[in-house]
Amino acid sequence: MDQKPAFGCLKYSEQHAPGVGLTLDISEILASEQSAYQRITFYRNPYLGVFFTLDGYIQLTEGDEFAYHDMIVHPAMAVNPQIKNVLVIGGGDGGTVRELCRYPTIEKIIMVEIDERVVRLSQKFLPSTACVIDNDSRLTNIYEDGLTYIKNSASAQLDLIIVDSTDPIGSGEGLFSREFYHNCHRALNKNGILINQHESAFYPWDGYEMKRANDKIKSVFPIAKVYGFNMPSYASGYWYFGFAAKNLDPVSDIKAEQWQNFGLETKYYNIELHKAAFALPSYVKKLLSE
Ligand code: SAM
């Protein structure tokens, strides 16, 4: 952090609001290609390491992905440590399945990613997140639209669905629809949990999408909460996931001791933070209740 950016070097810029953006120095462009679904570009930054964008939006940086992937996986595992059968939709960089594979008790993980190129490029340039793909016998990779996959899936079989998707535009749009949430509800068993990308609340356009997603989930699941975490490379630096369930409450049903018995070392997540993450700022509570 104490390095001053080299004046005049190549920069990556992403606009988050009028007059507000994130700029990263680029020390190397590792790959850039147009897949059947999106433009995929991998860069290196001298401080945050490798980062990649899809259609010009940052998906992850090596420097802060630990926060995102800890928070998309461990809260659900602490609420139901018996989770055995998991579906991940999206998540082509592999960070989510990497965290899931740390639980010896999980028996089966299916990852349905629409774009195989994201996976292959991540294996090449982001081995720190993609390390379990093709390397863990419990994990099956399917290259298909998650919307189609869930529509055709069996009822009441899954313990956990994680939607690690892009924003609600392009191929990710359907993953924020009521029909999709209905199919997730059907595919989950009675203790099933759905974790999904929930955008951010600070900028009005992100807040609009967050509320839209939350309203739809609330109309489908009896328990539908939102939790936040610090994410330096995303707009506003703070991001949210949704926790939806048929029976389990994310705070009162936490099995702290059982989770701690897994003995996992986590850089962001811990049991105290779990409870705090579900306590929302007043403006977010207001946005979601209006
Ligand atoms: N951490 C990221 C974020 O929130 O910015 C998300 C990362 S992950 C790379 C998102 C993945 O979702 C992408 O690889 C994209 O190809 C995949 N995706 C988008 N729409 C999809 C769909 N309908 N079915 C399955 N995967 C999808």
Side-chain angles (χ1 to χ4, degrees), residues 145 147 167-181:
D145 188 334
L147 206 57
D167 294 335
I169 41 167
S171 61
E173 195 172 353
L175 303 179
F176 291 78
S177 65
R178 203 181 302 267
E179 182 201 356
F180 175 72
Y181 299 136

Side-chain angles (χ1 to χ4, degrees), residues 118-194:
V118 175
V119 174
R120 299 301 168 215
L121 288 165
S122 297
Q123 286 180 302
K124 188 163 178 194
F125 299 113
L126 273 172
S128 55
T129 58
C131 49
V132 300
I133 297 175
D134 299 332
N135 278 325
D136 191 306
S137 58
R138 296 170 296 168
L139 173 63
T140 305
N141 285 85
I142 296 176
Y143 298 106
E144 186 183 329
D145 188 334
L147 206 57
T148 315
Y149 182 88
I150 197 83
K151 214 183 279 180
N152 299 325
S153 64
S155 298
Q157 294 300 308
L158 296 167
D159 299 310
L160 173 63
I161 300 175
I162 297 181
V163 188
D164 183 2
S165 67
T166 42
D167 294 335
I169 41 167
S171 61
E173 195 172 353
L175 303 179
F176 291 78
S177 65
R178 203 181 302 267
E179 182 201 356
F180 175 72
Y181 299 136
H182 269 293
N183 278 315
C184 290
H185 186 276
R186 183 186 52 72
L188 287 166
N189 60 29
K190 71 172 177 11
N191 281 330
I193 297 172
L194 168 69

Side-chain angles (χ1 to χ4, degrees), residues 38 52 54 58-60 68-69 89-93 112-115 118 144-147 164-167 171-172 175 197 234 239:
Q38 51 214 342
F52 82 99
L54 295 178
I58 288 192
Q59 300 298 302
L60 73 73
Y68 185 96
H69 293 123
I89 294 182
D93 50 75
V112 180
E113 162 62 59
I114 202 168
D115 193 344
V118 175
E144 186 183 329
D145 188 334
L147 206 57
D164 183 2
S165 67
T166 42
D167 294 335
S171 61
L175 303 179
Q197 231 269 71
Y234 285 4
W239 213 250

Side-chain angles (χ1 to χ4, degrees), residues 153-284:
S153 64
S155 298
Q157 294 300 308
L158 296 167
D159 299 310
L160 173 63
I161 300 175
I162 297 181
V163 188
D164 183 2
S165 67
T166 42
D167 294 335
I169 41 167
S171 61
E173 195 172 353
L175 303 179
F176 291 78
S177 65
R178 203 181 302 267
E179 182 201 356
F180 175 72
Y181 299 136
H182 269 293
N183 278 315
C184 290
H185 186 276
R186 183 186 52 72
L188 287 166
N189 60 29
K190 71 172 177 11
N191 281 330
I193 297 172
L194 168 69
I195 303 291
N196 78 326
Q197 231 269 71
H198 236 76
E199 304 294 299
S200 173
F202 185 74
Y203 294 119
W205 36 91
D206 292 332
Y208 171 77
E209 296 298 349
M210 180 185 190
K211 180 165 170 48
R212 261 192 352 143
N214 188 252
D215 283 349
K216 287 181 209 163
I217 294 181
K218 276 198 284 209
S219 73
V220 175
F221 283 86
I223 296 163
K225 305 268 170 81
V226 164
Y227 62 104
F229 58 101
N230 181 222
M231 196 60 201
S233 62
Y234 285 4
S236 85
Y238 206 76
W239 213 250
Y240 292 89
F241 288 133
F243 179 111
K246 296 184 181 181
N247 277 310
L248 296 172
D249 181 272
V251 177
S252 58
D253 287 321
I254 190 170
K255 318 285 182 310
E257 205 183 319
Q258 280 186 54
W259 187 79
Q260 272 154 340
N261 285 341
F262 283 117
L264 298 180
E265 195 179 315
T266 43
K267 192 167 172 184
Y268 192 94
Y269 178 79
N270 58 57
I271 291 293
E272 295 76 38
L273 178 133
H274 177 122
K275 295 173 194 161
F278 284 89
L280 302 176
S282 301
Y283 80 95
V284 181

